[in-house]
Amino acid sequence: GHTTGPSLNNDKLYKFAYSAEVYVDQVKASLQKSAGYRISSGVDVNLLWRNPDNDDDQLIKITINNVQVENVNERPAAKNIFKGKSTEKIIGKEYLEALQRPIVLELVRGKVKTFYSYQNEPGFTQNIKRGLASLFQLQLHSGSSREVDISGKCSTTYHVRQDQVTKVKDLDSCEIEKKRFTSHNRILDVSTKGTSATVYVLEDSFIKSIKAEENFAFSLNYRRKTGAKIVSKQRLELKSVQAGLGLIAAKQVASVIKTLDPNYVAMPLEAEPVKSECKKCPSLSEHWQSIRELMHPDKLSKPEAAKSFLSFIQNIRKSTKEEILKIIRSENKEILPQVVDAVTSAQTPESLEAVLEFLDFKDTSTFILQERFLYACGFASHPSEMLLKSLTEKFKGDVAKEEIRETLVIVMGALIRKLCDRGDCKLPAVAEAKRLILNRLEKAKKDDNVQMYLLALKNALLPEAIPVLLKYAESGEGHISSLAATALQRYDPSFLTKEVKETMNRIYHQTRRVHEKTVRTTAAAIILNSNPSYMEVKNILLSIGELPMEMNKYMLSMIQDILHFEMPASKTVRQVLKDMRAHNYDRFSKMGSSSAYTGYISRGPDVSSTYSLDILYSGSGILRRSNLNIHVFDRNAELHAIQVVIEAQGLESIIAATPDEGEENLDSFAGMSAILFDFQLRPVTFFRGYGDLMSKMLSASGDTMNVVKGLVLLTDFLQEIQLQSGPTASVEFLGGLAIDISGGMEFSLWYRESKTKVKNRIAMFVAGNTEVDSFFVKTGMETTLEAETSLDFISTVQFSQYPFLVCMQMDRVESPFRTHTTKYESLPSGTRYTARRGKAATLAGNEYPLHQENSNMCKKVISAESDSASSWF
């Protein structure tokens, strides 16, 4: 009558052969060349007791014997780390004895009700026994249930067909304490997939054989070739049935256990956390001394800097606050900013406490360190509530330098967004920071204060901030209105309500008041990017011809770019162009130098990236705004990787020109603003006011100004896995970027020429480490990927004649690209087997195409420059 679980016969000893195998390799590789190991043993099973009142309640004893450890794949003797070593030597006498002590299971209706073992055994051996015990959990009818085994409490589905039962475990549903974090943006993250299935073959209602397999696959979203897999297999096969000991007569389970061995205790079946200690690992200060030179500012655009940065973060994550402070306090001012980058990026409570204890926001002399700390907070991959709370406290306290106060609140905005995206919008620290920014903005009187809170909202992207941004976009002055409009531009179109579009239409068509070109063109871009109606597109097209000259040309370029790049609005634009009032020669032949263009940097199977470059001039030929954007996207997500905007206004007086409508009273100003990996940085000012401009022009050396320089943690993924066979595995991917972005603006009244330069130097390093850790052997794989490149953008305007000559150039230098894979198996004694593979390639340099007009004009500008050089004397 045993219908619900496996049934053992009285007085019998069932002898099984058991093996547990682990493989680690790249995702698509065959298992024949994988790193790994196999534990094999005999397993004896016998029935101790059956409940006289319930046949489905039984106690069984399981004993492991004759343990062997070997390679999972055949290897020559020289590459076999287990060769010539006895099991006792590999595992250790104490561990081997513990492993061979029997366990007792109480099975009720096929499920493990209680797991009995000895209390003071090592966690590792207990977990191997738990892995074996979990295999005996089985139900003999199809259906789903929540089941507890070594993996935790998991949703499990059984399919029963005659003498075969298939058990499928949903690994994502398992409730078990394990360490895990991922990167904030999906593109920079790692995709994971895990499956678990066990097939039972039964004979006379008992187990004849079991085959279990778990597969875990991990791949970088931006390069799926870079990844890892772990495969864990268990096999149990019945070899013989012999005469065994008789049953223990008793009414209760407790008295059976006491008779058997009073030292047995009931334990949870789910795995206990275990970690083998690293015996020869260098201390934090020893490790720092070995990489210190690679973190020098001069080496910050090299992959070695990014590599050292990542390894340093890994070590900081294991260190105490005192160890971290010791390094910070002993370092010189050249290297210290890079130490602050790494300590902040580690994102542990200890590292945060250490850096906050070291930095004094009342001291202006450590300005650079404070800024580097704040930027590293803005790029945090998985920020904590504690971090946001600490920054809010600093903002409310004394801050000596106004720029730091500004950066503090901008970073708070970025952290609000990251925490809200993670579903933590209701946390007290998030609610307080949101309230503070919105309330202070409402009370702000000075332009500088308004700008700082608007920049925070541009990072936070709160739905409740949209009405405030609309108010400033429509009624604000100059750059305040422009900033509010560009903040609205960053929202997903799904947030842009009817009210938003009505306001943008009013701004663009100037129905209530006159607006500057920069705000009007941003309003037009918002309308055209958020599913515009037929009439909205028609009204924009009909306005071309009535606008200031350069704005006419810019809007025309924007419409042509939508068509050539097949953007979402292109279908509606094509419908409107069938109407001759909107589409005619008079409208489409407007002169000017402004332009907008979008193209692909790369198109790949995993991710693609685009660049867009738009440039708007004033009627007098002086640059008003240049905007370079790089986006990376896949089928499900998008990342705004880089934006560099150079803006200038009120410069007409230099060349005695007439300002455009609505721009007569603007102060002279030029500056630069950047977004890096979805995080808006604090803008940089080149000059403000006529006096400042003239002094800069007279002393102008054409030097570029640094916008951002440092080390950024991009990919930050860690997952610990409990394998069903007993060992724990960990998968870690870290991706770091060494970055140097600078920009500058030069004027030459002598040559009547202006030049803007933006230089982006980037080096990237990604390190993946996948390891399966048993107490006596480790096996794993290390994967690295490194690349470096430089992207330069130069815009030259010659205003000695009309129309002006404008030449834009966007170049990428030759870029080296290298990958390495190392598979290994190692014993605590230091014996190690490794297999390495590497690959190097070079991506050719490239000058990115812009529209044909630009190419024609560059020929003239370059020939004019060479003529002026040759006729100097």
Side-chain angles (χ1 to χ4, degrees):
H2 300 285
T3 53
T4 53
S7 160
L8 287 78
N9 289 328
N10 303 357
D11 314 334
K12 296 287 183 197
L13 177 67
Y14 296 84
K15 292 188 93 61
F16 289 88
Y18 175 66
S19 69
E21 301 173 342
V22 173
Y23 302 81
V24 179
D25 212 328
Q26 289 174 304
V27 178
K28 296 259 171 88
S30 81
L31 294 183
Q32 276 74 38
K33 293 184 177 175
S34 301
Y37 57 86
R38 178 189 295 118
I39 305 170
S40 51
S41 71
V43 170
D44 292 351
V45 180
N46 64 296
L47 184 67
L48 292 174
W49 171 85
R50 186 178 278 133
N51 189 335
D53 303 324
N54 176 8
D55 269 5
D56 260 337
D57 182 3
Q58 45 195 350
L59 276 182
I60 63 169
K61 183 166 95 169
I62 300 173
T63 312
I64 294 173
N65 52 54
N66 189 25
V67 181
Q68 303 291 322
V69 185
E70 58 197 338
N71 282 118
V72 77
N73 287 314
E74 277 189 40
R75 288 245 164 82
K79 294 183 175 181
N80 185 342
I81 60 168
F82 306 111
K83 184 79 178 165
K85 294 182 176 70
S86 66
T87 305
E88 189 174 294
K89 192 170 183 202
I90 296 167
I91 293 183
K93 189 178 176 193
E94 183 195 333
Y95 280 118
L96 188 58
E97 281 173 5
L99 193 56
Q100 295 183 349
R101 277 186 215 123
I103 52 169
V104 176
L105 301 183
E106 182 184 3
L107 288 176
V108 178
R109 291 194 284 283
K111 304 293 171 84
V112 177
K113 185 184 175 190
T114 323
F115 170 77
Y116 294 97
S117 188
Y118 295 97
Q119 193 151 27
N120 297 322
E121 268 190 27
F124 282 115
T125 57
Q126 293 283 31
N127 282 350
I128 285 179
K129 292 180 190 178
R130 287 181 170 110
L132 177 58
S134 297
L135 291 179
F136 284 87
Q137 185 152 259
L138 150 81
Q139 74 182 37
L140 299 183
H141 59 273
S142 296
S144 298
S145 62
R146 295 280 290 165
E147 237 176 51
V148 175
D149 69 2
I150 183 167
S151 310
K153 192 173 188 179
C154 311
S155 298
T156 310
T157 307
Y158 286 89
H159 302 279
V160 179
R161 205 173 65 236
Q162 291 171 324
D163 284 340
Q164 188 172 304
V165 179
T166 305
K167 174 162 78 171
V168 177
K169 187 159 54 177
D170 176 6
L171 294 170
D172 290 337
S173 71
C174 295
E175 293 168 25
I176 190 168
E177 217 30 62
K178 56 188 175 191
K179 208 169 174 188
R180 184 187 166 144
F181 47 75
T182 60
S183 303
H184 169 252
N185 187 286
R186 220 197 84 85
I187 294 223
L188 301 172
D189 207 20
V190 174
S191 288
T192 66
K193 193 178 179 187
T195 58
S196 167
T198 309
V199 178
Y200 295 83
V201 176
L202 307 177
E203 199 173 67
D204 298 334
S205 296
F206 193 55
I207 294 159
K208 188 182 176 190
S209 73
I210 304 174
K211 283 181 186 173
E213 187 171 316
E214 286 181 309
N215 283 278
F216 298 89
F218 303 85
S219 53
L220 279 177
N221 288 341
Y222 49 90
R223 193 176 190 270
R224 293 191 181 274
K225 275 186 191 168
T226 302
K229 73 172 167 193
I230 300 168
V231 179
S232 163
K233 295 183 178 188
Q234 287 167 285
R235 186 170 292 190
L236 189 73
E237 244 174 288
L238 182 62
K239 290 296 178 191
S240 65
V241 182
Q242 301 173 5
L245 298 169
L247 298 188
I248 298 170
K251 281 269 188 202
Q252 300 294 329
V253 171
S255 50
V256 182
I257 296 294
K258 205 171 180 183
T259 308
L260 197 64
D261 188 338
N263 292 322
Y264 271 123
V265 289
M267 289 184 154
L269 186 56
E270 62 190 57
E272 59 186 280
V274 280
K275 197 92 179 119
S276 54
E277 288 302 307
C278 184
K279 293 188 172 67
K280 293 179 185 172
C281 290
S283 68
L284 187 65
S285 55
E286 285 168 345
H287 178 238
W288 171 241
Q289 287 310 315
S290 70
I291 60 167
R292 188 178 171 277
E293 280 311 304
L294 297 166
M295 304 284 257
H296 195 274
D298 298 343
K299 295 179 182 166
L300 272 197
S301 55
K302 294 288 171 207
E304 289 76 17
K307 179 183 180 179
S308 306
F309 168 65
L310 297 181
S311 65
F312 193 35
I313 287 173
Q314 282 174 307
N315 223 325
I316 294 168
R317 284 179 171 169
K318 300 171 198 155
S319 304
T320 63
K321 175 182 156 186
E322 286 66 34
E323 288 171 311
I324 299 166
L325 269 170
K326 188 179 166 191
I327 288 176
I328 300 178
R329 287 182 171 142
S330 66
E331 211 32 271
N332 68 35
K333 68 172 191 285
E334 273 189 319
I335 306 276
L336 202 47
Q338 288 74 265
V339 176
V340 169
D341 285 343
V343 170
T344 313
S345 299
Q347 299 169 71
T348 64
E350 292 78 12
S351 65
L352 178 62
E353 282 173 29
V355 74
L356 285 174
E357 187 171 310
F358 173 73
L359 289 175
D360 179 5
F361 284 79
K362 300 187 192 85
D363 178 7
T364 55
S365 68
T366 59
F367 164 71
I368 288 174
L369 298 177
Q370 293 167 38
E371 187 163 67
R372 287 288 272 268
F373 160 69
L374 290 173
Y375 278 160
C377 292
F379 291 120
S381 52
H382 52 276
S384 61
E385 183 187 16
M386 180 70 203
L387 175 60
L388 179 58
K389 195 174 179 196
S390 307
L391 297 192
T392 309
E393 292 306 313
K394 293 288 175 200
F395 182 73
K396 287 175 172 174
D398 287 343
V399 180
K401 221 162 164 53
E402 197 50 43
E403 287 98 322
I404 291 297
R405 227 177 112 67
E406 206 176 310
T407 309
L408 255 168
V409 78
I410 291 170
V411 171
M412 281 162 61
L415 295 180
I416 289 169
R417 181 185 176 191
K418 287 183 177 184
L419 288 162
C420 283
D421 283 353
R422 212 167 64 193
D424 290 334
C425 228
K426 291 191 165 65
L427 289 173
V430 180
E432 191 196 347
K434 285 192 328 192
R435 216 170 26 246
L436 182 139
I437 293 168
L438 290 165
N439 289 350
R440 298 261 180 117
L441 175 58
E442 208 177 314
K443 293 173 186 157
K445 295 282 181 281
K446 280 164 63 186
D447 271 8
D448 284 357
N449 285 345
V450 172
Q451 175 179 317
M452 136 173 125
Y453 295 116
L454 286 177
L455 284 163
L457 292 179
K458 190 174 177 179
N459 272 331
L461 296 183
L462 298 169
E464 60 264 46
I466 289 176
V468 185
L469 294 172
L470 287 176
K471 182 187 95 174
Y472 280 101
E474 194 168 15
S475 353
E477 291 294 326
H479 68 282
I480 295 291
S481 149
S482 185
L483 176 54
T486 56
L488 286 163
Q489 198 176 9
R490 292 196 71 204
Y491 280 83
D492 187 86
S494 60
F495 287 103
L496 303 180
T497 56
K498 185 167 166 261
E499 187 195 352
V500 175
K501 290 177 82 175
E502 282 171 358
T503 310
M504 293 302 113
N505 275 296
R506 285 199 301 270
I507 291 172
Y508 178 73
H509 295 292
Q510 306 196 108
T511 45
R512 287 194 180 164
R513 52 173 285 206
V514 172
H515 292 276
E516 289 173 46
K517 289 194 297 293
T518 49
V519 188
R520 292 181 70 189
T521 50
T522 304
I526 292 171
I527 297 163
L528 292 168
N529 284 337
S530 51
N531 193 20
S533 68
Y534 180 88
M535 278 316 292
E536 283 175 325
V537 174
K538 187 171 180 178
N539 287 336
I540 286 175
L541 274 162
L542 290 173
S543 71
I544 297 173
E546 315 298 323
L547 306 168
M549 192 190 90
E550 282 297 333
M551 190 174 160
N552 271 329
K553 181 65 178 168
Y554 181 85
M555 288 306 300
L556 203 50
S557 283
M558 193 194 277
I559 295 291
Q560 285 163 335
D561 194 39
I562 288 170
L563 292 172
H564 113 88
F565 205 68
E566 291 295 337
M567 291 179 193
S570 59
K571 201 174 166 187
T572 314
V573 172
R574 281 199 176 87
Q575 283 177 325
V576 174
L577 290 177
K578 288 175 184 169
D579 183 339
M580 296 307 286
R581 280 173 304 168
H583 188 195
N584 55 50
Y585 178 77
D586 178 48
R587 218 177 290 289
F588 276 71
S589 62
K590 296 298 174 193
M591 299 286 285
S593 306
S594 301
S595 63
Y597 187 83
T598 305
Y600 278 101
I601 291 179
S602 67
R603 298 175 85 165
D606 306 324
V607 292
S608 297
S609 55
T610 59
Y611 64 94
S612 65
L613 189 55
D614 58 84
I615 196 152
L616 175 64
Y617 294 98
S618 63
S620 54
I622 291 178
L623 175 82
R624 193 70 178 79
R625 182 187 65 208
S626 86
N627 186 351
L628 167 70
N629 286 285
I630 294 175
H631 284 87
V632 183
F633 56 91
D634 64 11
R635 288 190 194 96
N636 309 305
E638 187 176 337
L639 171 68
H640 197 170
I642 291 177
Q643 180 188 64
V644 182
V645 181
I646 293 181
E647 276 198 73
Q649 64 177 41
L651 306 184
E652 282 73 15
S653 52
I654 309 169
I655 56 169
T658 310
D660 289 348
E661 177 194 26
E663 301 184 2
E664 298 84 359
N665 303 318
L666 293 179
D667 276 350
S668 300
F669 164 83
M672 184 162 164
S673 161
I675 289 174
L676 198 56
F677 301 107
D678 270 338
F679 168 43
Q680 166 72 56
L681 309 177
R682 183 173 55 80
V684 174
T685 301
F686 296 147
F687 56 80
R688 187 183 290 281
Y690 191 72
D692 189 18
L693 163 64
M694 291 321 285
S695 70
K696 293 252 168 62
M697 277 178 68
L698 293 170
S699 63
S701 60
D703 287 349
T704 53
M705 197 163 182
N706 194 267
V707 182
V708 63
K709 186 174 192 164
L711 296 151
V712 180
L713 180 63
L714 284 187
T715 295
D716 191 9
F717 174 89
L718 173 74
Q719 187 170 338
E720 287 183 351
I721 300 160
Q722 177 57 53
L723 297 179
Q724 190 172 280
S725 53
T728 50
S730 69
V731 181
E732 184 175 28
F733 279 93
L734 286 175
L737 208 63
I739 194 158
D740 187 345
I741 298 181
S742 52
M745 194 171 183
E746 300 172 38
F747 277 107
S748 166
L749 285 176
W750 183 266
Y751 290 113
R752 296 184 75 76
E753 182 179 273
S754 80
K755 226 176 211 181
T756 57
K757 291 180 185 173
V758 177
K759 196 174 183 64
N760 302 288
R761 282 162 61 206
I762 290 169
M764 183 179 186
F765 192 88
V766 180
N769 190 7
T770 305
E771 185 169 79
V772 178
D773 183 4
S774 290
F775 55 100
F776 55 88
V777 59
K778 281 185 181 178
T779 184
M781 181 177 73
E782 290 163 0
T783 311
T784 64
L785 168 73
E786 58 183 88
E788 57 184 297
T789 192
S790 175
L791 191 68
D792 295 344
F793 164 56
I794 301 163
S795 167
T796 309
V797 185
Q798 292 182 348
F799 42 87
S800 53
Q801 59 186 58
Y802 197 85
F804 326 110
L805 293 177
V806 180
C807 168
M808 291 180 287
Q809 293 157 280
M810 189 166 140
D811 302 340
R812 191 193 71 219
V813 299
E814 199 175 74
S815 312
F817 182 86
R818 291 177 285 274
T819 59
H820 287 96
T821 305
T822 306
K823 289 183 272 195
Y824 63 88
E825 292 149 8
S826 70
L827 296 173
S829 62
T831 312
R832 190 175 167 98
Y833 157 76
T834 52
R836 289 190 179 87
R837 279 184 68 188
K839 208 172 174 182
T842 302
L843 301 173
N846 195 0
E847 184 165 338
Y848 288 100
L850 299 164
H851 37 78
Q852 189 57 48
E853 277 176 54
N854 182 63
S855 308
N856 299 341
M857 222 176 276
C858 283
K859 286 174 193 165
K860 290 184 188 173
V861 168
I862 289 160
S863 67
E865 281 183 343
S866 55
D867 287 352
S868 63
S870 60
S871 61
W872 181 256
F873 294 107

